[in-house]
Amino acid sequence: MTKNIWIVLLIATTTCFSQHYKTYNWTEKPQLHKLSSEDTKASSIGILKKHIVEYQSSLLSDPKLYETEHTITRVNDDKGIGQNNTVYIPMNGVKAVVDIKARTINSKGQVTLLNQDNIKEIKNVEEYGDFKIFAIEGVEKNSEIEVLYTVEKEFDIFGSETLQKDHNIKNVQFLFITGLLNSSIKAYRTDVPFKNVTVDSVAAKLLELKDVPAMVEEEYATPNANKIEVAYQCYPNGQNYDQDMFWGNVAYNVGSKFFPKDITEHANDDLSLITNGKTEMSNFEKASRVVNFIKTNFTIVKNNNDELTNLDYILKNRSASDYGIMKAYGHYLKALDVPYEIVITANRFQFKFDPDFFIPNMLRDFVIYLPSEKKYIAPDRVDSRVGEAPYDLLGNYGLFIKDNYDYYFKKIVEEDPNYSRIKRNIDITFLDDFDKVSVEEHQEYTGHWAETNRAVLTLSSEQGLKEFKDYLTGSGIEDKEIVEYAVENTDMNQLAYNKPFIVKSKMTTESLLENAGDSYIFEVGKVIGIQSELYQETKRINPIEMQYPNQYDYTITVEIPEGYGVEGLNTLAIDKSYKSETREKICKFESSYQLNGNKLVITVQEYYRSNEYDLERYEEFRNVINAASDFNKASILLKAKE
Amino acid sequence: MKIKLELMMKALIVLFCLPVFVFSQDFANEDFIYLKRHENIKIELTDHKFDIAKQVSEQAEYLTSKKLYFANEVMPFDSFTSIENIDAYTYLPMSNKKVNVDYIETKREFDNGVFYSDQEAKYFTFPAVTEGAITNLNYTEVIKDPRFLGMFRFGSYVPTKSVQLSIEFPKNVTIGYIDFNTENIGLDFKKEELENSNKYTWTVDNLKGFQGEEDSESSLYYVPHIIVYIKSYEEDGKTHNVLNGTKDLYQWYASLVDQIDTKDLDQVYAIADNITKSLKSKREKAEAIFNWVQENINYVAFEDGLGGFIPRSAASVCSKRYGDCKDMANVLYEMLNHVGITSYRTWIGTRDRHYSYLEVPTPMVDNHMINTAIIENDTVFLDATDSFVPYGMPSAFTQTKEALLGIDGSTYKIIKVPAQKPEQSVSTITSQMTLDNETLKVTEQRNLTGYDKVDFITDYLYKKEDKTDEEFLNTTLALGNNKTNYTNFSKENFDNQNTPLILNYDLNIENYTKTIGDKSYINMNIDRTLSKSNIDIKDRKYSKKIDHKFKKEFTTTFTIPEGFKITYVPEALSFDHSNYGYSITYITQGDQIVQHKSIYINTLSIQNDEFESWNEFIKSINKAYRKSIIIEHLP
């Protein structure tokens, strides 16, 4: 969300110091750096990443702010070149470009300097603003690319910089020059302390990190949010703030916008459309009706139109920014007497919200909390309705603002432990003397599963619907013929709490059966669909975070034809779990079977009670995840009785 | 859990990014339809100068409030066009209200394929859309170059009640047109003579929507559309050709080529001389130069007005070490001709554009540039934008396409790029299998040539991302099951050369074989190429695209463990069709079972009338894949 919730109430006075960015430079005669053979195996490796943030107090105005970025990167192959030979410098908040330069040192030591004429400017790119872009010249395999630029930015009290990339970096430096100005700085996900240094006789702080490893994509992880980062604040001359002042300021500014004193006429006029004349309703139903109304009548617009936060404009045009739409919710909820709180937080896959340090960049996602229901509304998400918090916020802290503008911090968790479940009853029979298998299924999806299913069904393209039907009837069975298929409770606009999304289907397939002499091998595990496998050849880096807590309960009944017996049932019994310190199973996969006459009944229960697991116990977690994949490979033998 | 959420999220994301297309004759089941999509092109000519304006008029209806995202409108333009006089509003029949669009933004988008482009777009969102809303959009697109009248798609991703294209032009102007995929849509064409102009009008009513399918060809293969172009005009008693035939298109291209900056070519020649100095034959020299450009010029694309059509100076491309297709084609041209090899700058459309230069003499026909060298009577297509295609093979996506070779300022030649034979892209797989308790242990070598090699290398470099080798191989080769453990992975000839890429690895496959009592069931088909290629004939609308022809030869040897005897060996099975087929045989040799399996694909597309035969093939090969050998403990 782009918004202006931090109002600057501050003015400045000041003195002048020398300017480091003017004297900082690259080596005049560059030489290739010596690298180990291991380093030359990677597609690319960072030799230096240095970022300098320099605040200068100035007389009678806000401090000046300069930022310098200096990188040296060795590229060893085509992929490394492709990832590093184009440079995009964001111009958002930039007052002036002081200098941009780049050069390549090839493996023979020849230097190619960037021709300044080849720097292009592109305006208003998506939501990111303007950029200066250029392609690195003269780069070939085993070259070093060096980029150095300085920009003067609009004064901003706050800033942050990510210090970890997707390749290893040998030397990372963050230099924070604030002179006599008061400031705060905090580093995340590193234990290395800042050093107090003096730069051109000005006091500064330096964080220097050696051999920063690449951040890697892993499953059940939030790698982008786990990068080493620094966040900082620098205050105008003579001023000093504590974090509570910032939070309080935000709570007041946001609260005064989203908790209306009076309801506008236009909002009142809409009420009859929302309630349909109904008066006796629970808070849950009222809130659901508001959400359904907004999501079928309003469009969230991403552009720079200031009117998109103006309530009259929003109600008339039924268009709002993701921030502005909160005003419509505020008015409707207030008009219907539904108590609510505003929550500001961040997508946990992008940022880890820190209640102890104010970083405006983190204040990205706005949700509404209904304290009487312990439920959330995600105002700008087309696919969600009143329920648990969106999965990408779970586990992050949020700033909760009450209608009196008081605020508190709370970790966003699911209140209903049984929210997201999948229940399946699967009945299997063999047709035409073992020519085919018939699989009849009744499935119920609740919680996030149901919400996503409804959204896919409603919003997908035709190809998307085909793939979805395949997924709902057991993915990975290549020759299946779907004989019956019906879905129920598919409307995204629901008024009852957690009504299940139901799928009833029947399919036949030959591919699960294999003729082996006088017997048949039946791949029964495949009926639960493809199960992903969690691989780990290298050491796990990221803490474990799942999408959301969930549970699966399957009952699979196989009817064994007369004259046949079953063998090889042992692979159907699996028991893997991860226990808490109190020996309680927090996640597990358990399957067992019973033979009742000619019926083989297989019961499966798999659940994940939490969405966070201990990195140190990754192998235990992985065993549970992979147990489902093991079950998927289970097969039994049907043998003619002698 | 697993996999699924990601898959579903992907399905959701896809639909927001792709202009995809939907079918239905009965519009009542639709969420959103166009009531009309009309375009009127008006051409005026004064003193050899064209004034061309396209009036666009669209009206759409929201039959439900499910897909409000259609409210987002994008009108792209570049330096050859401008968008003017935009009038847009939403009409709400229920309340008889009109809400105007009052905010339009000009933006750019990051395009991963193109580094810098002059393409921008006007963006806006229709206000107040909900069930029953009708949106209206009218604007003028000014076309600044008479060669770029563009194309008109009769079909859209959703149904349209009234589709119309008209073109109004002075009587001294001649217009050409060619339409595609319009056989069954009831296209009506009318010619009118007005007072000072002629007018052509094409109309279709109640046209269904068109939506892409998995593995289908590009939408141009099935969406009804038309290309109109100015052929010529009469002025001062003479005929002046604009795009009257391929000759005119070529002459324009040649005039652009004339503008190439040729300074400092000595630096380019010096590189060419240096690369080829120790080489004797033209073939060796051409290969060395091609490989040098593949390896040393990095692909960075620019689309900037006419600059998007004129290759940049070969000297600057060599010194900057980057360029796009036309830049690489031109560097090859300069280097090859310098060392005495006849070569031509060559324009070509990729397989996405199925047009012929002879039928479509407009810049719509192509989107790519390569080099064509003539070496000892062989015609060799050189596309250095593909960093790994071996010398001698065209890039896979240019197969079957017409190449326009620029011979000189006024002469050109059109040659078809041949489809490469299955024998040029062969995977030879040799595996030794043993059984250790219930774990199947395999030592395998895979030799890949041609496009099989190119695809593996490209995927390994660009699709592997942060995955480990094990995870990457599990998802790409997908041998055994997804628990297969890969060790001792090595690769040789991981390059752009004509030598086969050699992959070696060992596999441990658990949960794969089945042992019950004395018997063990072992399926030797750990590689199940094509097993998921069945076509859903009931719902499938369009032909299936195949990227390249190939052949796979497997020799798999299973050594019977000591203390066991073989009790069952599957029968030989095969399927033989001129375009595709397989055969699997088993031989018992002492304590070994040897399986020979060969699979070939000898076509680049499966047409709708071949679906049944194709499915028989897939059914047959899947049946063969499901056959296990059985071994039994000796008493």
Side-chain angles (χ1 to χ4, degrees):
Chain A
M1 289 193 182
T2 42
K3 70 234 53 154
N4 213 357
I5 50 179
W6 165 248
I7 293 183
V8 181
L9 8 106
L10 335 143
I11 314 172
T13 49
T14 279
T15 35
C16 259
F17 290 97
S18 68
Q19 299 162 320
H20 182 59
Y21 74 88
K22 285 187 176 166
T23 53
Y24 184 80
N25 206 348
W26 61 20
T27 318
E28 201 179 322
K29 288 195 177 130
Q31 286 189 329
L32 285 181
H33 293 78
K34 286 213 164 62
L35 293 178
S36 69
S37 64
E38 197 57 35
D39 289 340
T40 53
K41 273 186 205 151
S43 291
S44 60
I45 176 161
I47 290 163
L48 174 74
K49 172 187 163 67
K50 178 161 183 164
H51 195 84
I52 306 168
V53 174
E54 185 171 12
Y55 283 92
Q56 286 174 2
S57 47
S58 82
L59 234 46
L60 297 173
S61 71
D62 281 337
K64 288 182 175 300
L65 168 58
Y66 298 91
E67 286 195 40
T68 299
E69 169 83 359
H70 183 193
T71 56
I72 304 173
T73 310
R74 172 78 65 98
V75 291
N76 296 321
D77 61 20
D78 281 325
K79 186 181 175 187
I81 293 172
Q83 287 173 335
N84 293 282
N85 71 344
T86 50
V87 178
Y88 297 78
I89 304 175
M91 290 291 116
N92 231 348
V94 170
K95 268 167 102 170
V97 172
V98 178
D99 191 23
I100 297 176
K101 53 189 185 178
R103 64 187 175 188
T104 304
I105 305 103
N106 75 7
S107 56
K108 297 178 207 84
Q110 289 162 336
V111 177
T112 309
L113 203 63
L114 172 73
N115 179 349
Q116 297 279 328
D117 296 340
N118 293 335
I119 301 175
K120 291 182 178 280
E121 186 162 9
I122 48 174
K123 294 265 183 204
N124 204 10
V125 184
E126 293 168 27
E127 300 112 81
Y128 311 109
D130 304 344
F131 287 83
K132 297 269 188 197
I133 64 170
F134 54 89
I136 299 290
E137 299 173 8
V139 59
E140 48 190 71
K141 282 169 203 155
N142 306 313
S143 300
E144 284 179 18
I145 294 171
E146 185 165 12
V147 178
L148 173 60
Y149 65 84
T150 300
V151 291
E152 183 186 355
K153 298 181 96 171
E154 306 280 352
F155 171 70
D156 191 342
I157 293 179
F158 313 99
S160 62
E161 179 73 16
T162 303
L163 302 181
Q164 198 168 12
K165 293 195 178 181
D166 47 14
H167 57 223
N168 296 349
I169 312 175
K170 302 194 83 62
N171 185 358
V172 173
Q173 292 180 33
F174 183 83
L175 181 60
F176 187 54
I177 308 170
T178 54
L180 296 176
L181 296 169
N182 290 313
S183 64
S184 299
I185 188 162
K186 187 169 179 180
Y188 292 87
R189 295 167 286 274
T190 175
D191 297 331
V192 177
F194 286 92
K195 276 191 288 201
N196 288 317
V197 293
T198 310
V199 177
D200 300 337
S201 51
V202 176
K205 286 187 177 349
L206 174 70
L207 180 69
E208 185 165 15
L209 306 168
K210 298 285 181 197
D211 296 314
V212 173
M215 179 47 78
V216 295
E217 285 292 333
E218 288 175 323
E219 287 196 73
Y220 305 106
T222 62
N224 276 330
N226 294 344
K227 289 178 178 170
I228 299 172
E229 193 184 354
V230 289
Y232 50 87
Q233 300 169 351
C234 180
Y235 320 119
N237 213 345
Q239 311 208 22
N240 210 351
Y241 299 99
D242 64 27
Q243 303 306 312
D244 289 343
M245 290 174 71
F246 293 124
W247 293 119
N249 183 289
V250 166
Y252 179 81
N253 282 312
V254 169
S256 57
K257 287 195 179 75
F258 296 146
F259 292 106
K261 297 273 176 275
D262 305 299
I263 308 305
T264 70
E265 201 180 318
H266 197 150
N268 262 324
D269 290 348
D270 285 335
L271 288 185
S272 60
L273 299 170
I274 294 172
T275 60
N276 261 337
K278 199 169 170 188
T279 47
E280 292 299 304
M281 284 180 287
S282 64
N283 282 342
F284 182 86
E285 183 174 347
K286 286 180 194 168
S288 291
R289 283 177 179 272
V290 167
V291 175
N292 291 345
F293 177 74
I294 289 183
K295 291 188 179 176
T296 48
N297 287 284
F298 286 71
T299 309
I300 306 297
V301 178
K302 283 185 181 165
N303 65 30
N304 296 312
N305 183 3
D306 292 337
E307 290 291 305
L308 294 169
T309 55
N310 169 351
L311 183 72
D312 290 335
Y313 183 93
I314 291 169
L315 295 180
K316 175 176 170 262
N317 289 277
R318 301 289 198 219
S319 301
S321 66
D322 48 8
Y323 182 64
I325 197 68
M326 300 286 290
K327 292 188 177 170
Y329 280 96
H331 277 255
Y332 295 145
L333 290 173
K334 164 104 180 169
L336 292 171
D337 281 330
V338 180
Y340 64 95
E341 295 173 2
I342 304 292
V343 186
I344 311 178
T345 181
N347 179 327
R348 69 180 151 116
F349 294 89
Q350 299 302 327
F351 300 94
K352 297 299 178 196
F353 189 98
D354 181 3
D356 297 327
F357 198 73
F358 184 80
I359 308 170
N361 204 20
M362 251 165 19
L363 310 180
R364 294 195 159 239
D365 277 78
F366 280 59
V367 285
I368 293 167
Y369 182 61
L370 305 173
S372 64
E373 311 302 303
K374 296 191 171 154
K375 294 287 172 293
Y376 289 84
I377 296 171
D380 61 336
R381 303 187 189 207
V382 112
D383 55 330
S384 86
R385 295 296 185 266
V386 183
E388 294 290 348
Y391 77 94
D392 52 8
L393 307 181
L394 286 179
N396 242 348
Y397 277 87
L399 172 71
F400 287 65
I401 303 166
K402 298 189 195 176
D403 59 359
N404 62 1
Y405 313 155
D406 278 354
Y407 66 90
Y408 63 98
F409 294 100
K410 193 172 83 171
K411 195 171 178 172
I412 298 169
V413 293
E414 292 205 340
E415 302 279 353
D416 178 351
N418 290 319
Y419 188 59
S420 304
R421 296 177 71 155
I422 301 179
K423 279 191 208 167
R424 290 175 172 168
N425 281 318
I426 305 175
D427 289 318
I428 294 167
T429 46
F430 299 96
L431 306 177
D432 307 334
D433 202 16
F434 288 104
D435 234 14
K436 280 183 189 171
V437 186
S438 160
V439 181
E440 199 169 347
E441 228 174 321
H442 178 101
Q443 304 178 66
E444 293 188 3
Y445 294 77
T446 61
H448 288 299
W449 292 117
E451 226 170 50
T452 311
N453 286 356
R454 289 185 180 115
V456 173
L457 210 58
T458 308
L459 303 170
S460 280
S461 63
E462 200 175 61
Q463 178 63 32
L465 289 178
K466 262 188 207 175
E467 287 166 17
F468 188 57
K469 187 173 171 183
D470 176 60
Y471 152 73
L472 285 179
T473 53
S475 53
I477 301 171
E478 54 255 15
D479 71 333
K480 82 177 157 201
E481 195 179 326
I482 299 167
V483 193
E484 287 166 26
Y485 172 73
V487 278
E488 290 172 21
N489 303 338
T490 57
D491 195 337
M492 289 171 73
N493 296 326
Q494 296 288 332
L495 292 176
Y497 174 68
N498 214 359
K499 198 169 178 182
F501 174 96
I502 295 171
V503 190
K504 293 173 182 169
S505 66
K506 189 173 171 179
M507 60 109 169
T508 61
T509 165
E510 292 174 28
S511 69
L512 301 184
L513 267 181
E514 186 184 317
N515 186 337
D518 60 346
S519 310
Y520 294 90
I521 298 172
F522 172 47
E523 296 180 277
V524 62
K526 281 196 176 167
V527 300
I528 68 165
I530 296 175
Q531 303 290 308
S532 71
E533 174 83 11
L534 202 43
Y535 304 97
Q536 201 69 37
E537 267 180 298
T538 46
K539 191 175 180 311
R540 171 82 182 192
I541 291 173
N542 290 285
I544 305 160
E545 289 190 34
M546 296 199 72
Q547 299 279 3
Y548 44 80
N550 58 77
Q551 175 164 336
Y552 311 79
D553 288 281
Y554 306 151
T555 307
I556 305 166
T557 308
V558 185
E559 195 179 305
I560 300 150
E562 221 171 289
Y564 281 83
V566 273
E567 290 180 17
L569 302 180
N570 55 325
T571 50
L572 297 174
I574 297 175
D575 183 0
K576 293 277 154 86
S577 65
Y578 174 118
K579 296 192 185 81
S580 68
E581 279 162 16
T582 56
R583 307 305 294 161
E584 183 197 350
K585 291 179 180 176
I586 351 179
C587 72
K588 70 161 194 184
F589 182 99
E590 276 174 20
S591 61
S592 59
Y593 63 90
Q594 262 192 319
L595 203 50
N596 302 330
N598 72 333
K599 285 207 162 67
L600 172 68
V601 182
I602 305 160
T603 317
V604 178
Q605 186 169 71
E606 180 181 7
Y607 63 63
Y608 301 86
R609 295 272 195 251
S610 165
N611 64 312
E612 293 174 2
Y613 296 87
D614 192 350
L615 175 59
E616 301 306 312
R617 296 177 62 192
Y618 176 72
E619 277 307 310
E620 289 168 71
F621 171 77
R622 191 173 155 231
N623 280 338
V624 176
I625 290 280
N626 287 353
S629 172
D630 289 342
F631 183 84
N632 173 249
K633 288 161 197 78
S635 55
I636 56 175
L637 193 78
L638 293 146
K639 207 173 167 188
K641 286 180 183 159
E642 282 154 17
Chain B
M1 124 144 238
K2 320 123 175 261
I3 220 164
K4 305 147 191 173
L5 184 79
E6 196 188 319
L7 264 179
M8 289 194 293
M9 289 303 178
K10 216 172 89 193
L12 270 180
I13 290 160
V14 161
L15 100 131
F16 292 119
C17 323
L18 285 179
V20 242
F21 300 83
V22 197
F23 240 113
S24 170
Q25 300 291 17
D26 176 11
F27 300 166
N29 287 332
E30 300 290 335
D31 297 308
F32 173 87
I33 60 167
Y34 280 109
L35 299 174
K36 73 167 185 184
R37 287 190 304 111
H38 289 186
E39 288 190 7
N40 177 261
I41 304 172
K42 190 153 189 187
I43 299 175
E44 282 167 12
L45 176 67
T46 21
D47 202 15
H48 300 276
K49 197 183 159 296
F50 282 97
D51 274 312
I52 307 171
K54 183 157 78 179
Q55 185 61 42
V56 180
S57 179
E58 293 178 354
Q59 192 174 50
E61 184 177 2
Y62 292 78
L63 300 177
T64 72
S65 58
K66 285 181 179 173
K67 293 178 177 168
L68 300 186
Y69 56 75
F70 280 118
N72 296 311
E73 195 67 47
V74 185
M75 291 169 281
F77 63 96
D78 55 24
S79 52
F80 297 111
T81 54
S82 66
I83 306 283
E84 296 173 3
N85 308 322
I86 303 172
D87 171 36
Y89 62 92
T90 303
Y91 173 66
L92 299 163
M94 298 277 274
S95 51
N96 191 26
K97 266 201 299 201
K98 185 179 160 189
V99 189
N100 287 321
V101 170
D102 58 3
Y103 188 87
I104 298 170
E105 204 163 73
T106 303
K107 284 207 275 194
R108 284 170 183 263
E109 272 191 11
F110 278 130
D111 176 337
N112 287 334
V114 181
F115 175 62
Y116 177 79
S117 157
D118 60 4
Q119 179 149 323
E120 295 179 79
K122 304 271 185 194
Y123 287 79
F124 71 83
T125 304
F126 279 107
V129 295
T130 185
E131 185 176 329
I134 292 173
T135 55
N136 293 270
L137 169 62
N138 297 289
Y139 64 92
T140 309
E141 182 182 326
V142 176
I143 296 169
K144 300 175 187 168
D145 188 309
R147 295 178 192 86
F148 293 111
L149 291 194
M151 96 169 39
F152 178 74
R153 291 171 183 248
F154 295 110
S156 176
Y157 42 90
V158 295
T160 309
K161 284 197 165 171
S162 166
V163 193
Q164 190 177 84
L165 171 70
S166 59
I167 180 163
E168 219 178 307
F169 50 96
K171 292 188 173 170
N172 59 337
V173 173
T174 313
I175 293 295
Y177 57 87
I178 177 165
D179 52 292
F180 299 89
N181 315 316
T182 53
E183 298 79 18
N184 303 314
I185 62 165
L187 178 64
D188 180 64
F189 175 51
K190 187 171 77 181
K191 278 187 183 183
E192 285 169 283
E193 197 162 327
L194 309 178
E195 195 177 337
N196 295 315
S197 59
N198 289 322
K199 188 176 178 185
Y200 294 173
T201 307
W202 292 265
T203 314
V204 190
D205 289 332
N206 297 320
L207 186 59
K208 68 192 179 192
F210 294 84
Q211 178 174 123
E213 294 179 302
E214 198 180 10
D215 301 329
S216 61
E217 303 278 0
S218 86
S219 63
L220 298 179
Y221 282 69
Y222 52 83
V223 172
H225 64 283
I226 188 166
I227 293 173
V228 289
Y229 54 98
I230 299 171
K231 292 176 94 159
S232 62
Y233 62 92
E234 308 260 339
E235 210 156 281
D236 315 325
K238 277 201 306 205
T239 301
H240 302 269
N241 287 335
V242 180
L243 292 170
N244 199 21
T246 320
K247 187 164 175 284
D248 302 310
L249 178 66
Y250 177 68
Q251 272 182 351
W252 180 55
Y253 283 169
S255 74
L256 296 174
V257 162
D258 278 345
Q259 298 174 43
I260 298 174
D261 176 357
T262 52
K263 70 168 183 278
D264 299 330
L265 277 177
D266 288 351
Q267 295 166 16
V268 180
Y269 297 159
I271 298 171
D273 289 336
N274 190 38
I275 300 166
T276 56
K277 64 185 175 218
S278 60
L279 303 173
K280 294 271 174 337
S281 73
K282 286 188 172 180
R283 197 192 161 282
E284 287 171 313
K285 289 182 184 182
E287 182 166 0
I289 287 174
F290 176 63
N291 289 342
W292 187 89
V293 177
Q294 273 182 310
E295 288 164 22
N296 289 281
I297 306 299
N298 303 302
Y299 183 80
V300 178
F302 287 81
E303 284 175 5
D304 194 4
L306 271 186
F309 290 85
I310 305 169
R312 274 160 293 165
S313 105
S316 85
V317 172
C318 286
S319 102
K320 287 192 293 204
R321 289 283 203 262
Y322 66 76
D324 54 21
C325 62
K326 58 187 185 296
D327 301 333
M328 294 191 198
N330 185 51
V331 168
L332 286 168
Y333 170 84
E334 297 294 358
M335 287 188 169
L336 291 167
N337 289 293
H338 172 73
V339 301
I341 296 165
T342 307
S343 91
Y344 305 106
R345 297 185 189 96
T346 303
W347 290 261
I348 193 164
T350 57
R351 279 183 70 191
D352 286 352
R353 302 202 175 197
H354 63 334
Y355 306 129
S356 161
Y357 279 102
L358 304 174
E359 289 178 353
V360 185
T362 89
M364 297 293 305
V365 72
D366 51 36
N367 55 355
H368 191 45
M369 210 167 165
I370 59 170
N371 182 285
T372 310
I374 310 296
I375 296 158
E376 292 147 13
N377 296 327
D378 281 343
T379 305
V380 186
F381 299 99
L382 302 169
D383 184 352
T385 63
D386 185 334
S387 303
F388 296 99
V389 70
Y391 169 85
M393 288 177 85
S395 45
F397 53 83
T398 56
Q399 292 179 95
T400 70
K401 293 305 318 276
E402 285 175 357
L404 177 77
L405 282 55
I407 309 293
D408 59 37
S410 58
T411 325
Y412 62 88
K413 200 171 167 185
I414 296 174
I415 307 178
K416 217 171 210 181
V417 176
Q420 304 296 290
K421 298 186 177 71
E423 292 73 23
Q424 290 170 281
S425 300
V426 179
S427 294
T428 311
I429 298 108
T430 319
S431 329
Q432 270 79 40
M433 293 181 171
T434 54
L435 191 62
D436 183 4
N437 286 321
E438 288 200 41
T439 302
L440 187 67
K441 297 200 161 191
V442 187
T443 298
E444 191 161 284
Q445 185 177 85
R446 217 162 249 261
N447 288 14
L448 313 179
T449 68
Y451 298 134
D452 277 9
K453 171 172 174 174
V454 176
D455 284 355
F456 185 88
I457 294 179
T458 314
D459 287 354
Y460 189 85
L461 282 178
Y462 299 106
K463 291 199 186 149
K464 186 169 173 270
E465 294 167 344
D466 285 340
K467 291 184 198 122
T468 57
D469 283 345
E470 177 173 25
E471 186 171 358
F472 173 74
L473 295 171
N474 252 314
T475 44
T476 48
L477 298 181
L479 301 176
N481 57 37
N482 65 353
K483 305 188 86 68
T484 301
N485 172 236
Y486 292 74
T487 49
N488 303 323
F489 176 58
S490 72
K491 43 191 199 303
E492 287 168 54
N493 307 327
F494 192 83
D495 54 28
N496 55 356
Q497 302 295 308
N498 267 303
T499 44
L501 169 69
I502 303 174
L503 307 175
N504 279 294
Y505 42 82
D506 296 329
L507 310 172
N508 271 354
I509 316 179
E510 285 176 15
N511 297 35
Y512 181 76
T513 65
K514 184 98 194 145
T515 299
I516 292 163
D518 289 342
K519 286 182 181 167
S520 291
Y521 302 82
I522 300 119
N523 191 311
M524 292 174 68
N525 301 292
I526 55 171
D527 181 315
R528 297 192 176 190
T529 299
L530 295 172
S531 68
K532 291 174 185 151
S533 305
N534 187 53
I535 295 172
D536 177 6
I537 299 180
K538 211 164 57 192
D539 290 335
R540 181 87 187 187
K541 297 189 289 270
Y542 311 122
S543 61
K544 176 188 167 83
K545 181 186 179 191
I546 292 171
D547 290 332
H548 63 83
K549 301 176 178 182
F550 62 83
K551 213 170 162 173
K552 293 190 193 289
E553 298 286 350
F554 297 82
T555 307
T556 308
T557 308
F558 178 79
T559 304
I560 302 163
E562 246 175 71
F564 282 85
K565 66 171 182 192
I566 183 92
T567 58
Y568 178 75
V569 177
E571 66 203 314
L573 284 171
S574 66
F575 185 95
D576 200 18
H577 182 282
S578 54
N579 284 344
Y580 36 80
Y582 80 93
S583 76
I584 298 184
T585 60
Y586 294 84
I587 306 166
T588 311
Q589 292 172 338
D591 64 346
Q592 293 186 326
I593 319 282
V594 183
Q595 184 206 54
H596 287 283
K597 179 162 72 182
S598 107
I599 301 170
Y600 62 91
I601 296 291
N602 189 22
T603 179
L604 293 178
S605 84
I606 307 296
Q607 296 299 313
N608 297 42
D609 58 6
E610 292 175 287
F611 285 171
E612 284 196 18
S613 152
W614 171 265
N615 275 359
E616 269 176 53
F617 162 54
I618 299 302
K619 191 172 177 176
S620 175
I621 198 168
N622 273 327
K623 195 171 170 192
Y625 282 154
R626 290 200 298 272
K627 303 267 178 198
S628 294
I629 59 170
I630 305 175
I631 56 173
E632 200 175 323
H633 248 303
L634 292 168

